[in-house]
Amino acid sequence: MTWQEKVSQWRALKPAERKARRWADIPRQVAASMAFEGEPVDLEWLKALHNRRTPRGS
């Protein structure tokens, strides 16, 4: 699948689904950023911490 196809699929999603996917991806992004900075953090711990919060505007 090309990047153009992936972008088309993303744009075809409903706004609520895009928001949910972005929200669910936050722990992975934070873990990758922390590892890049040389301070790795447990992804499962981040997921547990993240699941206790609710997205803004909900």
Side-chain angles (χ1 to χ4, degrees):
M1 178 181 295
T2 67
W3 67 269
Q4 291 100 336
E5 293 168 333
K6 289 181 181 183
V7 169
S8 293
Q9 283 183 344
W10 177 257
R11 289 180 177 164
L13 294 174
K14 293 180 180 179
E17 176 63 20
R18 282 191 268 177
K19 183 177 180 179
R21 288 185 183 193
R22 283 192 302 264
W23 177 258
D25 201 35
I26 290 173
R28 186 195 57 78
Q29 292 174 350
V30 170
S33 176
M34 295 295 289
F36 181 77
E37 291 295 326
E39 299 178 22
V41 97
D42 181 41
L43 180 58
E44 295 306 315
W45 178 79
L46 280 175
K47 285 180 181 178
L49 185 65
H50 186 70
N51 286 336
R52 292 195 307 231
R53 298 204 37 142
T54 57
R56 289 183 181 176
S58 49

